[in-house]
Amino acid sequence: MAESRTSAEGGMETSYGFREVADGEKQGLVNDVFHKVAKRYDIMNDVMSAGLHRVWKDAMVAAVNPRKDPTYRSLDVAGGTGDIAFRIVEASGRLAHVTVLDINGSMLGVGAERAAKKGLSENLTFVEANAESLPFEDNSFDAYTIAFGIRNVPHIDVALKEAYRVLKRGGRLLVLEFSEVDMPLLDRVYEEWSFKAIPRFGQMITGDAEPYQYLVESIRKFPNQRDFAAMISKVGFSRVTFTNYTGGIAALHSGWKI
């Protein structure tokens, strides 16, 4: 059925939520969604996760555990508003440098403005580019992070190959993403919240329910934890693991370039 999850073999490249689109069409549609929600992105994440995204992001950055070293380089993809990048810089004692890459200029504009207010601009570089074609040399970064963004990338396998390419030997990939709930009662409650409440809140907050409808549908289409872990392994990462948060509502995937 249309609502079934895609697998490790692919399918997200032609899935705009539950709607099938031509290969090459999805990126423009996703861009429109994030142009609409950029100014209210934090509120959107609070609605999508009932505020838990902040706890999950803190756990992700604890896993990154950046060195307190000015030579430490991290790449945060689809992180335009800076949520993960700011945390990494602070965790490094404001010594690390983080490159924030996003395909959406509106999101990057919000992040750059926030960085200036926090006094972090010198530790950050904002780059508008596609996760499927990173404008960086091989073996450039100590860590690659992406939080709640990988499911919006049309060709996930290509983005993962690019992540592997730009990481240094010994570098780590960390992907935080909404996933498959593994507790039956929580699963039913979360489905009701996602498909009935979230679009209504989106309509109330932004006056437009459609972006939120896409986002909840994209969560339901994304491969489950084991299938996504298989995709990470397939491109060459080693010691691939995942950790479920809040019963699998979100999961943190990890892989190493060895």
Side-chain angles (χ1 to χ4, degrees):
M1 64 182 182
E3 294 84 357
S4 62
R5 291 185 181 276
T6 55
S7 72
E9 302 307 311
M12 290 296 283
E13 62 272 8
T14 57
S15 169
Y16 178 70
F18 293 161
R19 182 174 132 207
E20 285 295 304
V21 297
D23 194 2
E25 186 179 356
K26 177 177 177 176
Q27 189 65 71
L29 295 169
V30 171
N31 286 351
D32 288 342
V33 166
F34 285 93
H35 282 306
K36 290 176 181 177
V37 303
K39 292 292 185 182
R40 297 176 183 266
Y41 186 68
D42 287 339
I43 297 173
M44 180 195 78
N45 277 336
D46 282 328
V47 170
M48 298 283 288
S49 70
L52 287 168
H53 74 100
R54 301 172 190 274
V55 178
W56 300 334
K57 287 172 179 175
D58 286 343
M60 181 188 199
V61 173
V64 175
N65 191 24
R67 297 192 310 272
K68 291 179 171 61
D69 180 347
T71 68
Y72 186 88
R73 295 288 182 270
S74 184
L75 174 64
D76 186 45
V77 174
T81 60
D83 252 13
I84 297 298
F86 300 157
R87 285 171 166 84
I88 291 174
V89 170
E90 295 289 7
S92 75
R94 296 199 171 199
L95 292 174
H97 189 92
V98 181
T99 298
V100 181
L101 181 140
D102 205 299
I103 199 169
N104 190 287
S106 297
M107 299 288 280
L108 288 166
V110 172
E113 184 177 328
R114 291 178 65 197
K117 289 179 180 177
K118 291 175 179 288
L120 296 175
S121 297
E122 290 187 4
N123 296 86
L124 298 162
T125 301
F126 291 88
V127 176
E128 186 172 348
N130 193 322
E132 297 178 14
S133 181
L134 299 175
F136 310 114
E137 295 182 359
D138 298 357
N139 309 306
S140 296
F141 296 98
D142 297 286
Y144 174 116
T145 56
I146 180 168
F148 307 118
I150 195 72
R151 75 182 190 280
N152 298 311
V153 176
H155 300 93
I156 293 172
D157 58 333
V158 176
L160 291 173
K161 288 175 184 175
E162 280 289 272
Y164 188 87
R165 179 183 67 78
V166 301
L167 278 170
K168 299 174 183 177
R169 291 288 169 186
R172 191 178 188 186
L173 167 78
L174 285 162
V175 182
L176 179 62
E177 189 52 86
F178 290 109
S179 201
E180 184 174 64
V181 179
D182 61 1
M183 298 171 64
L185 181 59
L186 180 60
D187 184 27
R188 290 196 293 273
V189 171
Y190 186 63
E191 287 279 307
E192 287 291 307
W193 170 256
S194 296
F195 289 99
K196 293 184 178 178
I198 289 176
R200 290 177 186 171
F201 275 112
Q203 180 70 43
M204 291 167 56
I205 294 166
T206 67
D208 189 354
E210 193 275 333
Y212 291 80
Q213 188 67 39
Y214 157 72
L215 290 166
V216 297
E217 290 177 3
S218 68
I219 292 169
R220 186 62 181 79
K221 293 292 288 186
F222 188 70
N224 67 23
Q225 290 90 323
R226 287 176 178 77
D227 280 343
F228 185 55
M231 294 178 75
I232 294 171
S233 295
K234 189 175 181 180
V235 303
F237 284 100
S238 302
R239 294 165 54 193
V240 175
T241 60
F242 65 84
T243 302
N244 282 338
Y245 295 150
T246 319
I249 291 177
L252 179 65
H253 285 78
S254 171
W256 296 84
K257 181 176 178 178
I258 296 175

